[in-house]
Each structure stands twice: as structure tokens, then as C-alpha cells.
Amino acid sequence: MNKTNISKLFPWLISAGVAWTIGCIYNVYYGGELSWLRRMYEQKAAYAAQIEAPNRLIITAGSGVHYSVNAEWMEKKLGIPVFNYGLQGDMGLNVIKPLILEQARKGDIIVLIPEYLMLMDKDGLGDGDGLYGSAPFGWAVGQPGLGGIPPKKLIEDTWLLGVTTLRAATKSTIDVIEKGRMTGYLSDPITEHGDPTKVKERTGKWWELKLNNSVSPHSIKVIEQFRKDLEAKGAHLIVALPWIYGSTDQTTKDSIQKSADKLSQVVPTLYNHQTLNIQTDSSIFADTHYHLLPPARIVRSQELIDQLKPYLAEYIKQPELQTKK
């Protein structure tokens, strides 16, 4: 290719670079779904850091935590600080782990409630096929490669930062016209306990979630190391199985039971041994098989309190927690 042909490419390269940069600003800093996830994470990190008590109960994983517990209500019941650190499941365990380790202090009790897709993930890097994935999120928070993402995948996924879909751009345009600002799924305000302030309800038909696999060896390895790393800081890890609107077919029940048994070998694992945390009433769920409506969040939070009390009594050395109502 001669110099003349190369010079003709410059305008196209410049145009492509400008378009990518605009898309990146939209996706990462304001307007795109990744921008709202980044902002929510930064807000939660700041709120959690402000808690100065010697013992904090931090509940974490994806949106199945964010929209399924009421941390403020739990705090009032337990008398210790409780924080909702639910983020987004597509980020994967490899990313959740270092984010929480960075936050953890001596005396903390970390309750991990991962969605089943997160538990069954073979490499811990989450979905990775969209802007909620581990690679784009790492770039968004200024930690490229967060979670040990392989360099090749990191390079391949980086282009997503500057890619804006027509659907997303159209939605943002309509938001600006109708509301005067851009909004997104995670753009709603959160409380100082990390709880959501808006309720999202499903408009489509429900179906029972079915599971065909149990927790992956990689997830077991990550969770076991997570426990060891937290204990080295003087903190503790507990895993709880999520509530789901799910099928009670034998394959699903066997998959959940296998996950519970494998997890119990490496970390304290909380779940209802009769129901396996499978809920059969879709009316208590919000917009996904993991997200609960506010009244159900209270029921779920009370169940967690009851299951956690023996561990809190041991870790915090307050036996009265076993009987506190």
C-alpha cells in the first residue's frame, strides 16, 4: 500500500476513533448501563467505607443480592451494621472476590449469595459478552484486568467500551426528551445501607427456572481461597444459596443439593434443607427469578438472620444474638 492510499485512510481512522471515544464516554461515564453499574459500585464502596463499627455484616454478589435483601431492616434486628453490597452477576466471582477483599476489615462477616450462573461459571469471569462483563467493568473502575482476566480476552473485550447499540442510544435519547436526563437499569438511587430505592416489576410471563448443573470446580476453588484470604485479614466468609423462582423437578433439586454439599466442604453454607431455597410462588418476585418484591425481601432477610445467628454469636462473641428477636 503506497502513501497515497494510506493518507486516504486517515479520515476514516480518525472518524472511527472519534466514534469509539464518544461511545466509550457514553458507556463508561454517563448514559450507558456500564456507567450506572460503575457509579453504583463506587457509591456502595464509599458508603461501606464510612461504617466505622468493629463488626460489619456485608452481603454481596450480584443483583440477586441487591434486589433480595433489606440491609437496613436486618441492621435494626441484629444491632450490628449490615450493608447490601450486591452488584451485578455477570461480573463473575473472579471480580467480586478482589472488590470485597479490598473492602474487608478485621471483624467483618461477609455473606456471599451468588446466583447459580455465577456458581456454575467455569472460569469465574462472568458473562463477558456484554458491558456488564468482567473486562469492561475492570476498565470502567480503573483496574484493567481485574480478576485475572487473560490478556487476549482483555484485548478482545476492550472494544466493547466504545460500542453503543442503536437500542441503547434510542432509549437514552427518549429519556432526555421525556425526563431531561439519561437513565438505566441501575441508575436509581441507593440508600446508605446499599439497598435499592425503586421496585422493578416483571411485565412478561413467568416460567420456572431449571438447573442442570452444580457449582463448578473453579467456583469452589475461588470461594475456598476467598475464605482463606478473608481469614488472613481477620474476617469471615459465609455462603448462602439464593432464593429462586424455580422448578421442583428432580434434576434441579439434585443440582442445588450437589452445590450445597460441595460448598459446605469449604465454607459454612446456609440454605433451607427442605426447600433448597426454591420458591414456587412467582408473585413474590420482581422482574427476575432472583429479585424479590419488598415484602418478600423482609421474609428473606429474616430467614438469613435466623440462619446467621449462631455464626454471629461465635464470630462477634455475643451469645445473645442467638436469642435476639
Side-chain angles (χ1 to χ4, degrees):
M1 185 179 292
N2 58 42
K3 292 183 178 181
T4 302
N5 291 331
I6 293 176
S7 64
K8 290 180 178 180
L9 290 176
F10 283 155
W12 295 99
L13 293 173
I14 293 172
S15 298
V18 170
W20 189 92
T21 300
I22 293 173
C24 185
I25 293 172
Y26 169 81
N27 286 325
V28 177
Y29 298 104
Y30 188 68
E33 293 297 343
L34 178 60
S35 71
W36 304 121
L37 175 59
R38 175 192 57 79
R39 189 185 70 163
M40 186 179 77
Y41 158 69
E42 291 174 347
Q43 288 179 325
K44 290 200 174 193
Y47 283 144
Q50 292 172 6
I51 302 173
E52 297 181 354
N55 301 110
R56 301 177 301 173
L57 178 64
I58 297 177
I59 308 173
T60 189
S63 62
V65 168
H66 183 63
Y67 291 109
S68 73
V69 299
N70 188 319
E72 183 175 3
W73 186 87
M74 292 180 69
E75 181 172 307
K76 291 177 181 178
K77 288 289 183 177
L78 286 170
I80 61 172
V82 181
F83 191 77
N84 181 341
Y85 217 123
L87 295 168
Q88 223 293 329
D90 286 345
M91 293 159 56
L93 281 176
N94 283 24
V95 173
I96 296 291
K97 175 176 171 278
L99 293 179
I100 301 303
L101 275 175
E102 184 180 89
Q103 177 71 237
R105 306 174 192 155
K106 181 179 180 179
D108 285 345
I109 299 97
I110 310 299
V111 180
L112 179 70
I113 313 180
E115 292 95 330
Y116 284 108
L117 283 178
M118 187 184 293
L119 280 176
M120 294 184 294
D121 190 5
K122 295 181 180 180
D123 61 8
L125 296 173
D127 186 346
D129 294 328
L131 285 168
Y132 278 149
S134 52
F137 179 79
W139 280 109
V141 298
Q143 300 182 56
L146 179 67
I149 186 169
K152 180 180 178 181
K153 183 173 177 57
L154 178 63
I155 294 171
E156 290 174 348
D157 288 355
T158 297
W159 72 275
L160 291 172
L161 295 173
V163 176
T164 304
T165 66
L166 179 60
R167 181 179 179 181
T170 300
K171 179 189 178 302
S172 294
T173 301
I174 294 173
D175 282 345
V176 171
I177 294 173
E178 295 182 348
K179 304 175 183 178
R181 61 187 179 89
M182 298 183 198
T183 63
Y185 188 82
L186 297 174
S187 65
D188 299 322
I190 61 173
T191 71
E192 291 186 359
H193 288 82
D195 292 326
T197 58
K198 301 288 185 179
V199 178
K200 302 180 186 297
E201 298 191 40
R202 191 178 188 86
T203 57
K205 292 183 179 181
W206 282 103
W207 74 95
E208 295 177 338
L209 181 65
K210 295 185 178 182
L211 302 173
N212 297 315
N213 298 299
S214 62
V215 58
S216 71
H218 179 87
S219 293
I220 289 291
K221 182 178 179 181
V222 171
I223 290 171
E224 183 175 20
Q225 188 60 51
F226 193 12
R227 175 183 61 79
K228 293 177 180 178
D229 291 342
L230 285 170
E231 289 176 349
K233 299 186 73 169
H236 306 275
L237 178 65
I238 297 171
V239 168
L241 298 185
W243 272 23
I244 61 168
Y245 174 56
S247 171
T248 56
D249 71 281
Q250 198 58 47
T251 300
T252 296
K253 292 168 66 175
D254 288 346
S255 296
I256 294 176
Q257 188 62 66
K258 287 178 183 178
S259 293
D261 293 343
K262 292 176 183 178
L263 287 165
S264 296
Q265 294 176 13
V266 299
V267 67
T269 304
L270 309 179
Y271 64 101
N272 185 307
H273 289 245
Q274 282 70 49
T275 67
L276 300 175
N277 288 11
I278 299 172
Q279 309 303 315
T280 56
D281 180 6
S282 64
S283 69
I284 70 173
F285 287 82
D287 60 334
T288 80
H289 292 78
Y290 293 92
H291 300 175
L292 298 170
L293 293 171
R297 293 175 198 170
I298 297 297
V299 178
R300 170 57 168 153
S301 296
Q302 182 61 59
E303 180 184 69
L304 278 174
I305 287 174
D306 294 338
Q307 294 171 339
L308 282 167
K309 279 180 179 177
Y311 297 98
L312 299 180
E314 176 186 354
Y315 298 154
I316 304 177
K317 308 303 180 185
Q318 293 182 0
E320 65 271 16
L321 285 173
Q322 293 187 1
T323 57
K324 186 173 181 178
K325 301 294 184 183

